Amino acid sequence: MTSTLIIGESMVELTHHTDDLLRKSFAGDTHSAAVYLKRLAGDSEDVSLLSAVGLDGLSNELIEALNKEGVSTHTVLQHPTRTIGLYMVHTDSQGERSFQYWRSQSAARATMALLEQQPALLADLAPTRVFFSGITLAIFDSTARAQLRELLEQLKMRGTQVIFDPNYRPALWQNKEETKAEYQWAFAVSDVVLPGLDDLNKLYGTSSMQSAVALVKTLCSGEAIIKNGEHGVTYLNADTQFSVEVAPVAKPVDTTAAGDSFNAALMAARSKGLPPQQAIEFAASVAAIVIQHKGAIIPRTELQHAINQ
Ligand code: ADP
């Protein structure tokens, strides 16, 4: 059975239900990827999240929520004093969303230090593949980044496929040079990279898919799948390159988790043996459904439409 280890942070998400009533859920890029991957792959795949939470009630609720989704939490470590991060979504009168975060002291930032204290768990890690993102890197300090790099290199030697989505969030980094230095090794260690064109443009100053492709070729030698919203997806590896059109959704309701659900669906499709073109088409069809609903995690029944297609 395929097993996927997803490394990152789950947070509490607060959205306005009415003006003065907030709705609580759990989210985060890697959280969403884990939930969607498990929903899409079902029993054929073991999905676990490597992260850290606290010992408090809210942290336990998060663990329960993951378990309810079938995401394995044996690698969700518990920090003795910290708790989970939180963010709130504000929507202005024009419908534009902005996010406010309380995550600077989150337990997830201490994931690698907590893992080091559990040598048996560390030694047992042998997933078929591991997925991490630029946000995973951004929330770690330099020691934790070095530990993550070592873990990925060790897993790779044990035969694990490494998958990386740069998911660039400037606010989480000191400057672009710091980000580029970390992404350099992250791209190099990865067998598959799943960047969004916007992120590459923002960080590296590329201005077109063509220049982004040229850049990605210098950064990694494996497969790259470059997402570009409704404008389609470009696939490349050492031997070939092609574009896949996506059916545009004219008025997306909420694009949160578009890229995360795309990544999850792509992984699920590749596990089932679909070749790159069909896997990308499936991933785009899942993301198109996700962006037609509010929130990062959409109702299970809605996702079913994409699976049945
Ligand atoms: P990211 O969220 O990582 O920046 P994108 O914005 O490119 O990535 O979105 C990820 C995927 O979601 C795209 O590759 C595409 O398949 C789908 N998608 C996003 N926006 C639209 C849209 N307006 N219409 C159809 N599909 C979309």
Side-chain angles (χ1 to χ4, degrees):
M1 180 162 61
T2 306
S3 58
T4 301
L5 180 69
I6 296 187
I7 308 177
E9 177 169 28
S10 287
M11 283 176 289
V12 179
E13 181 193 66
L14 294 179
T15 44
H16 282 280
H17 181 50
T18 59
D19 271 354
D20 53 3
L21 248 192
L22 291 170
R23 174 173 286 161
K24 178 190 83 198
S25 53
F26 297 108
D29 69 330
T30 41
H31 177 97
S32 301
V35 168
Y36 281 121
L37 176 55
K38 186 61 193 176
R39 283 189 183 183
L40 293 165
D43 291 340
S44 65
E45 184 150 346
D46 190 46
V47 180
S48 43
L49 183 70
L50 173 59
S51 189
V53 299
L55 291 166
D56 53 286
L58 195 55
S59 294
N60 287 327
E61 267 185 48
L62 167 56
I63 293 178
E64 266 171 46
L66 286 165
N67 285 333
K68 217 168 138 196
E69 288 286 349
V71 174
S72 167
T73 53
H74 74 287
T75 47
V76 176
L77 309 169
Q78 289 189 280
H79 194 281
T81 54
R82 295 188 182 195
T83 186
I84 50 181
L86 177 151
Y87 71 97
M88 200 164 146
V89 186
H90 297 271
T91 309
D92 68 16
S93 50
Q94 312 296 315
E96 278 297 313
R97 288 170 319 124
S98 61
F99 304 87
Q100 196 170 342
Y101 292 89
W102 293 264
R103 74 190 314 184
S104 57
Q105 286 300 313
S106 68
R109 291 181 183 255
T111 302
M112 298 311 296
L114 292 168
L115 185 62
E116 292 277 304
Q117 292 167 18
Q118 303 225 21
L121 183 64
L122 189 57
D124 268 359
L125 292 179
T128 319
R129 62 187 172 198
V130 62
F131 172 85
F132 71 114
S133 82
I135 298 178
T136 314
L137 281 178
I139 61 162
F140 286 172
D141 63 14
S142 56
T143 308
R145 287 175 192 162
Q147 286 166 330
L148 173 64
R149 181 177 182 176
E150 197 186 321
L151 173 65
L152 294 171
E153 284 168 356
Q154 276 175 12
L155 289 178
K156 205 171 160 144
M157 278 191 292
R158 292 181 216 162
T160 297
Q161 183 188 49
V162 181
I163 307 175
F164 174 58
D165 179 345
N167 244 342
Y168 176 49
R169 297 290 181 274
L172 293 174
W173 294 93
Q174 284 174 30
N175 53 52
K176 284 185 181 171
E177 295 322 305
E178 183 198 19
T179 319
K180 284 183 194 171
E182 299 300 330
Y183 281 16
Q184 183 87 29
W185 68 257
F187 270 99
V189 78
S190 298
D191 302 290
V192 182
V193 295
L194 304 169
L197 181 63
D198 272 355
D199 283 352
L200 297 176
N201 289 348
K202 257 189 250 161
L203 179 62
Y204 296 96
T206 46
S207 55
S208 63
M209 184 57 91
Q210 205 184 356
S211 54
V213 165
L215 168 83
V216 167
K217 278 184 181 164
T218 66
L219 289 170
C220 65
S221 53
E223 284 182 300
I225 290 152
I226 309 178
K227 296 163 276 182
N228 186 17
E230 75 268 36
H231 307 295
V233 178
T234 295
Y235 174 91
L236 63 139
N237 65 22
D239 310 314
T240 179
Q241 179 184 330
F242 59 83
S243 306
V244 180
E245 283 184 16
V246 311
V249 174
K251 282 204 176 131
V253 175
D254 180 354
T255 54
T256 310
D260 310 325
S261 57
F262 180 99
N263 295 344
L266 188 96
M267 288 193 270
R270 295 305 295 273
S271 297
K272 286 185 183 142
L274 287 190
Q277 163 111 21
Q278 279 96 315
I280 290 169
E281 284 165 359
F282 175 69
S285 72
V286 168
I289 287 178
V290 169
I291 63 175
Q292 291 178 67
H293 295 84
K294 240 181 136 179
I297 309 286
I298 70 165
R300 203 175 260 277
T301 43
E302 300 300 327
L303 197 64
Q304 206 60 39
H305 296 315
I307 304 170
N308 294 341
Q309 272 169 13

